[in-house]
Structure formats: structure tokens, C-alpha cells
Amino acid sequence: MFERVFKLKEKHTNVKTELIAGLTTFLAMAYILGVNPLVLKDAGMDVSSVFLATAISAGFASILMGLLANYPVSLAAGMGVNALFAYTICGQMGMSWQAALAAVFVSGVIFVVISVTGIRKAIINAIPKQLKLAIGAGIGFFIAFVGLKNAGIIAGSEATFVTLGNFSTPSVLLAIFGILLTIAFVVKKVPAAVFVGMVITAIVGIICGACGIEGMPALPSSILETNLKLDGFGAFASGFGELFADPFQAFIALFSFLFVDFFDTAGTLVAVGNRVGLINEDGELEHAEQALLADAVGTVAGAVLGTSTVTSFVESTSGVEVGGRTGLTSCTTGVLFFISILFAPIILSAVTNAVTAPALVVVGIMMAQQLKGIDWDDMVFATAGFVTVIAMILTYSISNGIAFGFIAYAVAMLANGKAKEVHPTVWGLICIFVLYFALPYLM
């Protein structure tokens, strides 16, 4: 059956190798089970509900990817886009989490449509590659900042806006220990470094808590008391009215979700495709439409269950590195996500902001590496890239960073006499962004 479905011999692999690769990918991705609930908690969502939605959507989407596209790519609620959900759409724009879920649902439906048509290629070609890289890197800086803030390493200050937190606080010291340890693991190329760093940080915190130190992670009173409820299931349906009450806000929310997911997915599929020989002679991904469709359906399912955008994880490359070549790898990862639900009490009790900070900071570092692809000698892209990154951090908004980056790019291209080289689609988006910022002052 495995041979017939996944074509193992054709891909020069076997069941044992694929199962090991699936386990490796799961361990590299498992941190999202602890991080995503705490991020979406800041949007007002129930932690246990988000955990369950995260595990189920990741399991479903990963298996769908394996069966539909036969890719060794696993999926889960994405880092960066969950920060967009919590801190920009719900935080800065003031939408309820139900309205934000409605935006995720609609963006997923749109993604389904463009995944089965030629619109995908048109959108990819319209956005300058270096602007895409800047957005990815900016999101990396943003989620690292969120991790440092939530852990108390960075605190607010009336004099300087931000300053160092109180380093005498035990939870802050635990977060710093975790960050340094995880960085060391990543540098040493330890398998599933981010996950291992989180686990060790949690264990150290639990031991410290048992010794009487306050503010530490703890084990649950009983590992059998789950009390898990999908409170967010179907909640997106009640958010449509609020979402579309302001057309411009709705557009910004939808565009931001769609943009981040679309290019994040494309980048991951290309990265994995290059490693496992899925790029054909024309430089195109084989079965790309099926892979994008699986990703899009995963997002729709995630919104229905009650979590932020589900996307392809670049951590899938960890499974590829140990031999994963087919969809059996991602199916294995998906099954393990379902099994992880049994460990919900431990994860929900032991994973605190101090434990998740290492994951946020280190994943942020990895995302920031995209800056190397920007031509900093070209002031057009240097300006657009810098504005994108700095605006995301200082306005505490991913969508604002995207908008300002587009506008800066347009101004720089005009000044450089290259306005004709800007794609009409980009000009249309820029006009909408300018109108969005100007409208509150015109009304």
C-alpha cells in the first residue's frame, strides 16, 4: 500500500527511513504546540482550545499534504502569521479574535482559488523578490521582539520607550538561559534544536519551581485531567459582520494573511523541492498546485477549528536531511501531532512565556537570515527593506511594515526613474495602502 500511494522505490527510499524522517520533522516542529496557544492567548483566545485546534489542524494538513502532493512537507499554525493575528489584527486594529478567524477563513478560501488557477504565478511575479525577503526578515525581528517582551527581558519605559527588564526575576533568568542554550544547540546543529531547547528549559524551570522558586513552570496535578474543549470551533462564522464592517480594514487583514502565507509557503516548497529533486527542467515545482491546495485547505480547516493560518513549515527540511523523500514523511508527522493531544496537560502546564521565548527568538534569528538576499548596495531595495523591518518593530504591526515597505519601494523607484518597472498590481496595492493610512484623517 505504501509503495502504491507514495512511490517509495521511485523516490529511492523505504518505509523505515520515511518514518524516522517524519519523527524528526515532528520534533523540529513540536514547539508550535506550546508557542501558538500562548501567542493567541494575547488575542483573547482560550489556551487549551488553541492547543487542540493547533494539534488537530497540523495533523490533518500534514496528512493531506502527504496524500495529495506526496511531499515530505508538514504543516501547522505558522510562526509570524500567529503574531500578525494576535498583535496586529486583534491588537492594533482592534478586531475580535472571531473576526480575525473569519479573515483567516476567507484568506484560505481565496488561497484555494488561486492555487487551482494561474493567478498564483501572476502574484509571485508581481512582487519584487527582495521585498518578499525583507517582509520575511521583518517578521523574524518582530516575533523575536515579542518573545523578549513576553519573557520580561525587554520592558516598557516612559523615558526610552523600551529598556532591559528586571534580571533579578527568576523567570527572566530562565528565559535567558533557554535562549542561550537553544542558540548553542542550533549552532552545533543538534537535531530538533528548538524543541530540545524548550524541553530542557521547561525541565530546569520545573526543578527550580520544586525547589521553591516562584514563577517557574510546573507539572500538572494529574496528567489525565485534560479538560480540552474546542471553544473556537466554528467561531469564525460570527466574525464576518465585524470583519467586513470596514472594507479597508478587511482588505488589510485579508491581504496580510494571504501575503504572508502565500510567500512563506512558496519559499518552503522551493527549499524542500530543491533538496529532494522536485524541481523540473523548467525550474518549476512538480505537483506545486496540489501542494499549495493542501496548504490552503489546511488554513481553512484551521480557521474552522479555531487557530491562526496553517502553513508549510521550513522545519520540514530536518526530515528531508535524514532521508525523507515522500508524503509518508509528512503523514507520519501528522499522526504524531494527533498523538500529542494525549500529552496536553503537561504541555499546557509546563510551557510558559519563559519556555517559549527561546523558540520565538531563535526562529526569529533564522527568519532574519533572509536579509542576506537583499542587495544593500541598491538604495531602492535597501530603503524598502529597511523601512519594512523597522516599521514592523516600531509600530508593532506586521501589516504596517508591509504597507510602508511597499510605499517606500514605490517612492524609491520613482526617484530612480524606474516607475515603469513597477508592476501594475504593485501600484494598485500601493494606492490602497496610501488610502488606508490617509482615510482616518480625511473623514
Side-chain angles (χ1 to χ4, degrees):
M1 182 186 68
F2 288 143
E3 175 60 35
R4 183 174 66 255
V5 175
F6 301 109
K7 299 178 174 62
L8 302 179
K9 291 182 180 179
E10 180 182 323
K11 299 294 183 178
H12 306 291
T13 184
N14 55 62
V15 173
K16 179 181 178 181
T17 299
E18 294 294 301
L19 294 179
I20 293 174
L23 173 61
T24 302
T25 298
F26 172 76
L27 292 176
M29 293 174 59
Y31 68 87
I32 196 64
L33 293 170
V35 175
N36 198 51
L38 289 186
V39 172
L40 297 193
K41 177 185 177 183
D42 291 340
M45 300 186 71
D46 178 72
V47 170
S48 62
S49 177
V50 175
F51 169 84
L52 195 54
T54 301
I56 294 174
S57 60
F60 166 75
S62 296
I63 292 174
L64 183 64
M65 176 68 80
L67 296 177
L68 196 61
N70 199 23
Y71 273 29
V73 175
S74 299
L75 301 88
M79 291 292 293
V81 72
N82 56 3
L84 170 67
F85 183 106
Y87 305 114
T88 297
I89 307 301
C90 293
Q92 190 182 65
M93 295 173 65
M95 289 188 184
S96 66
W97 59 266
Q98 292 90 342
L101 283 178
V104 173
F105 179 85
V106 175
S107 69
V109 172
I110 295 173
F111 198 15
V112 169
V113 174
I114 66 175
S115 295
V116 296
T117 66
I119 299 176
R120 175 181 62 91
K121 293 180 180 179
I123 295 176
I124 290 178
N125 293 333
I127 310 298
K129 178 182 177 181
Q130 297 193 58
L131 196 53
K132 302 171 197 170
L133 295 174
I135 291 169
I139 293 174
F141 281 103
F142 181 83
I143 64 174
F145 181 76
V146 169
L148 294 171
K149 178 186 74 70
N150 289 349
I153 297 173
I154 290 177
S157 168
E158 293 184 2
T160 60
F161 295 105
V162 292
T163 187
L164 285 177
N166 184 356
F167 279 24
S168 65
T169 304
S171 61
V172 173
L173 293 176
L174 178 64
I176 293 173
F177 162 78
I179 291 170
L180 296 177
L181 180 69
T182 306
I183 289 174
F185 284 161
V186 172
V187 172
K188 295 291 290 184
K189 300 186 185 302
V190 174
V194 174
F195 175 75
V196 174
M198 280 184 62
V199 170
I200 294 178
T201 302
I203 292 173
V204 170
I206 290 169
I207 294 173
C208 291
C211 294
I213 300 176
E214 296 183 357
M216 295 287 104
L219 289 174
S221 56
S222 172
I223 62 173
L224 300 178
E225 295 179 7
T226 55
N227 294 322
L228 290 178
K229 296 181 180 179
L230 268 178
D231 294 334
F233 181 80
F236 76 97
S238 64
F240 285 117
E242 178 186 347
L243 174 64
F244 292 106
D246 185 332
F248 283 103
Q249 290 249 26
F251 171 81
I252 294 299
L254 292 173
F255 175 79
S256 298
F257 280 134
L258 188 62
F259 186 96
V260 174
D261 184 32
F262 192 89
F263 291 109
D264 196 36
T265 298
T268 297
L269 294 181
V270 169
V272 174
N274 278 321
R275 293 187 182 222
V276 299
L278 293 172
I279 307 294
N280 62 28
E281 295 179 355
D282 298 324
E284 298 179 346
L285 273 170
E286 298 177 359
H287 310 301
E289 283 72 18
Q290 291 92 324
L292 288 167
L293 180 60
D295 188 283
V297 173
T299 290
V300 173
V304 172
L305 290 166
T307 188
S308 53
T309 304
V310 172
T311 187
S312 301
F313 263 55
V314 73
E315 284 85 349
S316 299
T317 54
S318 62
V320 171
E321 290 298 328
V322 298
R325 292 294 180 270
T326 74
L328 182 55
T329 292
S330 54
C331 286
T332 301
T333 302
V335 171
L336 290 172
F337 268 113
F338 283 123
I339 294 174
S340 70
I341 296 173
L342 299 175
F343 301 93
I346 296 176
I347 295 173
L348 294 176
S349 179
V351 177
T352 64
N353 284 328
V355 175
T356 59
L360 291 168
V361 171
V362 173
V363 171
I365 293 172
M366 294 175 177
M367 294 178 71
Q369 289 180 310
Q370 296 177 70
L371 288 175
K372 66 184 179 183
I374 297 175
D375 183 4
W376 293 102
D377 292 326
D378 186 331
M379 279 302 295
V380 171
F381 294 113
T383 299
F386 176 82
V387 169
T388 298
V389 173
I390 201 71
M392 279 191 194
I393 301 171
L394 297 185
T395 67
Y396 210 68
S397 168
I398 293 172
S399 57
N400 278 353
I402 294 173
F404 281 122
F406 269 72
I407 294 171
Y409 168 72
V411 172
M413 289 294 280
L414 279 170
N416 204 28
K418 296 182 178 180
K420 293 183 179 180
E421 296 181 19
V422 179
H423 197 281
T425 300
V426 175
W427 280 120
L429 294 173
I430 290 168
C431 291
I432 294 173
F433 285 139
V434 171
L435 186 60
Y436 170 75
F437 287 125
L439 192 61
Y441 303 99
L442 298 175
M443 297 179 66

